[in-house]
Amino acid sequence: MLKITTAAATAMALVASAAHADTFAIQAGRLIVDAAAPERGPSTVIVTDGRITGIEDGATAPAGATVVDMRTKTVMPGLIDVHVHLTSDANLPWYETLRPKYSQSYAAITGVKNALITARAGFTTVRDVGSSGTSAIAVRDAVRDGSVPGPRIEVSGQPLSMIGGHADPAVGLSPELRDAIAATPEMFTVCTGTEECSKAVRRLAAEGVDLIKFMATGGVLDPGDIGLEQHFSDAEMKAIIDTAHALHLKVAAHAHGAKGIDAAVRAGVDSVEHGTFVDAQGIADMKAHGTYYVATLLAFRGAVGMIGKGLLQPSSEKKARQAFEAWGVGLNRAYKGGIKIALGTDAGVFPHGQNAQEIGLMVAKGGMTPRDALIAATKGGADLMGLSTETGTLTPGKSADLIAVDGDPLVDPNAVTHVAYVMVMGKPIPMK
């Protein structure tokens, strides 16, 4: 009888495992392992079972590996967008989503469509920070389970709003319509007082969200004249953030006006979204608290593009013009002030798939260097989302989230808008 030692059995198991491993060899003409480090010349990234297992010089390939020839391209970490709305489409009249077809089911299908569009644009991780009910949760789970292709997704669900605030779904409606939707899932996130707001956070957590978003100020697309300054009280903001943090959830604050920005920062928020009119005090407090700044520069262009076309109510058009006048100013202040920055776009206000144009705007409007903009678009987003050990660089051991682009994005920020190949968690994304 043949006896097999433990060592021999282990060796045989490893050989069998390697024989069945799903291995890719992505050959690059230029390789960016880390946007903050010098790039490499011709290299090969080895991916096995969804993980980066090695990086070798030149064009090599292990036996049996699937070779991906990107020798005329730059291979780099996948981009990360921390502010999208996958279940929404741009350039719709303000009243369009009141039509019967805009159910949560329809929103989820829209989200599946936009998830693939976003992945094809080079984004391997996104954070959906505002969706109807549980529609974005359904999209996240479908992608996570492998049912549909798309980026890694984290979701906030329905944002918290004060009564009459930016995410109150009944704003601008007649009393009859407001009463009709009062029992919808979205309405529990409209809260007043610390106890109600804490309860709303807990209910969202129970639905399975990955983070909490609240409206610290008014919004550009609000249908009313409420303005862009502080909404929730200081005490309500602190209750929202403290409750979320106790549940191990990060918190993002939609914030345009200076006082609302600083109130959210002092309450301990993890990221300020938009930050349009941030002032010197806000910058100082963000620096002290380690708060992230997410500029969403593309949103300004998207909103202004809707002016004069009957897509916005008059009050929204007025606010869009005000915000556009400050386009990029807040980001420039944050950058000069040494604030941590992550790329976010507000995709859904403009058409999905254009997200990578944000990097060029961060350079042109925000005054960032191409390298620092690329760091914000990779490592910055990963750090904000708590995913630095999983993605953001092409370090062996991390998830295989990578893209191939034309040109050198460390010199030309528009290079990231020409994407030839995308891999998310070791799975190639169909590009057509």
Side-chain angles (χ1 to χ4, degrees):
M1 180 181 292
L2 176 64
K3 292 184 178 181
I4 301 176
T5 65
T6 301
T10 301
M12 291 173 66
L14 289 172
V15 170
S17 175
H20 292 91
D22 190 10
T23 300
F24 291 84
I26 297 97
Q27 299 172 338
R30 180 187 296 110
L31 180 66
I32 299 173
V33 174
D34 181 336
E39 60 191 2
R40 298 171 55 144
S43 306
T44 301
V45 180
I46 308 300
V47 174
T48 303
D49 291 341
R51 294 275 162 185
I52 299 170
T53 54
I55 297 175
E56 302 178 7
D57 292 333
T60 63
T66 299
V67 176
V68 180
D69 186 353
M70 293 289 141
R71 287 178 292 174
T72 63
K73 314 291 181 183
T74 298
V75 173
M76 58 172 285
L79 302 173
I80 299 174
D81 191 336
V82 301
H83 193 121
V84 302
H85 301 282
L86 293 174
T87 61
S88 302
D89 279 329
N91 299 324
L92 295 176
W94 64 270
Y95 51 81
E96 183 70 20
T97 55
L98 300 178
R99 295 186 177 183
K101 74 175 183 179
Y102 280 93
S103 62
Q104 288 193 40
S105 300
Y106 188 89
I109 293 171
T110 299
V112 167
K113 174 199 70 174
N114 290 330
L116 178 55
I117 291 172
T118 303
R120 285 173 171 168
F123 286 81
T124 57
T125 299
V126 300
R127 200 173 65 160
D128 187 292
V129 288
S131 55
S132 173
T134 59
S135 57
I137 293 176
V139 178
R140 176 199 68 189
D141 292 349
V143 173
R144 181 180 295 172
D145 294 344
S147 300
V148 294
R152 177 189 291 101
I153 303 170
E154 291 192 354
V155 302
S156 72
Q158 184 76 16
L160 300 186
S161 172
M162 74 171 195
I163 296 172
H166 184 39
D168 182 344
V171 169
L173 303 182
S174 68
E176 292 81 6
L177 283 174
R178 185 180 182 94
D179 290 343
I181 69 168
T184 63
E186 292 89 343
M187 289 304 288
F188 81 75
T189 59
V190 177
C191 56
T192 299
T194 58
E195 186 173 341
E196 269 190 23
C197 290
S198 291
K199 183 178 179 180
V201 170
R202 293 188 181 99
R203 290 185 65 172
L204 284 166
E207 286 188 343
V209 301
D210 303 294
L211 72 148
I212 299 297
K213 180 187 177 184
F214 73 97
M215 304 306 193
T217 74
V220 170
L221 301 183
D222 291 338
D225 293 313
I226 202 163
L228 296 173
E229 269 304 339
Q230 183 171 346
H231 277 193
F232 283 111
S233 69
D234 290 2
E236 288 168 334
M237 289 189 192
K238 192 170 190 310
I240 291 167
I241 295 166
D242 286 351
T243 303
H245 285 171
L247 296 170
H248 308 290
L249 298 174
K250 291 194 174 185
V251 186
H254 160 104
H256 285 287
K259 291 182 179 179
I261 293 170
D262 201 36
V265 171
R266 286 185 280 105
V269 78
D270 297 289
S271 64
V272 167
E273 315 289 313
H274 313 304
T276 311
F277 301 104
V278 65
D279 59 14
Q281 186 62 55
I283 293 296
D285 285 341
M286 289 181 75
K287 182 72 172 179
H289 285 79
T291 314
Y292 260 94
Y293 185 96
V294 181
T296 68
L297 299 178
L298 277 167
F300 296 91
R301 189 169 72 187
V304 169
M306 292 188 276
I307 288 177
K309 299 178 181 178
L311 302 177
L312 300 175
Q313 293 195 19
S315 58
S316 297
E317 293 205 1
K318 178 181 177 181
K319 287 181 286 187
R321 295 181 191 278
Q322 291 173 345
F324 191 68
E325 290 177 2
W327 193 22
V329 173
L331 175 59
N332 188 255
R333 288 174 178 167
Y335 183 53
K336 290 180 177 178
I339 304 303
K340 294 188 290 186
I341 297 169
L343 179 145
T345 66
D346 219 354
V349 173
F350 63 91
H352 295 276
Q354 298 178 8
N355 313 52
Q357 295 177 23
E358 182 82 14
I359 295 177
L361 290 175
M362 294 169 83
V363 174
K365 303 295 294 185
M368 299 179 72
T369 66
R371 181 180 293 277
D372 285 341
L374 204 64
I375 291 171
T378 52
K379 298 177 72 174
D383 182 59
L384 172 58
M385 295 174 69
L387 295 173
S388 291
T389 60
E390 186 70 7
T391 192
T393 66
L394 300 184
T395 308
K398 288 189 179 183
S399 174
D401 302 325
L402 56 85
I403 63 175
V405 302
D406 292 336
D408 185 355
L410 291 173
V411 176
D412 176 13
N414 292 316
V416 294
T417 64
H418 304 287
V419 179
Y421 182 81
V422 179
M423 175 177 277
V424 178
M425 294 180 281
K427 297 180 180 178
I429 293 293
M431 299 302 285
K432 292 184 179 179

